[in-house]
Amino acid sequence: MAQTACNVGIAVSVIASIFLAVGLGATLYVTTTGSGSNGNTTVTTRSTTPSTTTGNIYQTPCGFCGPEIDVGVTIQNYIVEPFFNHTIELFGMRRRELIFFLENAAKKQKEFRFAGNYGTYGFLVDTINGLKADYSLNKTWWKISDQDMVSLSEGVSSYIPQHRETLIFTFMQSGDH
């Protein structure tokens, strides 16, 4: 029994060291082995060293990461009472998918709490600040746009914000309701 506890302790220490090294921006090497088209074994090693080039994104085992950026998130509803318009600024966050920023906004300010479901195209936000959109019931949805009010062509699980960008979630309703 002591041998098993020791092995578990060593495994936990190794895993903790890896997480610490990744968190400190250390180089992480990922090696994959496979068979080439000629039947020979191929070994590929990739480095996920953080880039010092501004705006450069790199792939790590936990997702896309990039330099620290500042992003604003606004949620607004002018259709159903109680109306609301809240904005939060997130400073010094690693460049990631929009859902990462929405999750951090929800941790900092309760009005930004959201819910939704994963589907074919990623995570679909259907509820923000307790207000649920349901297109089939009342022709409502949450529109995501940039600060110029241009609708995003990607959703929260794939769109990657730019430095100093503000993303706006607006509760919408189709005119034929």
Side-chain angles (χ1 to χ4, degrees):
M1 196 62 139
Q3 176 94 17
T4 304
C6 182
N7 290 343
V8 170
I10 291 171
V12 169
S13 295
V14 169
I15 292 169
S17 297
I18 290 170
F19 284 136
L20 179 61
V22 171
L24 293 175
T27 301
L28 178 65
Y29 293 96
V30 179
T31 302
T32 55
T33 305
S35 296
S37 58
N38 58 3
N40 294 336
T41 300
T42 60
V43 176
T44 306
T45 301
R46 281 187 299 123
S47 167
T48 59
T49 305
S51 173
T52 55
T53 307
T54 303
N56 195 4
I57 299 174
Y58 54 93
Q59 177 77 33
T60 66
C62 65
F64 288 99
C65 299
E68 290 185 354
I69 63 172
D70 303 332
V71 172
V73 179
T74 296
I75 55 171
Q76 52 190 21
N77 159 44
Y78 301 111
I79 296 175
V80 178
E81 290 189 26
F83 305 125
F84 56 85
N85 183 353
H86 302 286
T87 299
I88 190 169
E89 298 290 328
L90 302 166
F91 298 102
M93 307 292 292
R94 285 284 178 199
R95 191 165 177 222
R96 299 267 319 262
E97 299 85 355
L98 178 54
I99 193 167
F100 171 77
F101 293 92
L102 196 54
E103 289 168 345
N104 278 279
K107 288 177 189 173
K108 293 176 185 269
Q109 200 170 324
K110 67 178 179 149
E111 291 83 5
F112 286 86
R113 291 184 184 151
F114 66 98
N117 295 295
Y118 275 97
T120 305
Y121 301 106
F123 191 82
L124 176 65
V125 174
D126 66 9
T127 306
I128 299 177
N129 194 20
L131 181 57
K132 183 174 175 73
D134 187 339
Y135 194 82
S136 61
L137 177 67
N138 55 17
K139 306 267 192 250
T140 57
W141 73 96
W142 283 100
K143 173 184 167 185
I144 311 169
S145 55
D146 64 16
Q147 62 263 23
D148 297 321
M149 297 309 291
V150 175
S151 294
L152 298 186
S153 59
E154 298 176 274
V156 295
S157 50
S158 56
Y159 183 76
I160 300 174
Q162 301 296 315
H163 181 53
R164 295 189 181 138
E165 185 173 19
T166 297
L167 286 306
I168 304 163
F169 291 79
T170 306
F171 189 72
M172 304 291 291
Q173 186 170 38
S174 187
D176 61 1
H177 177 67

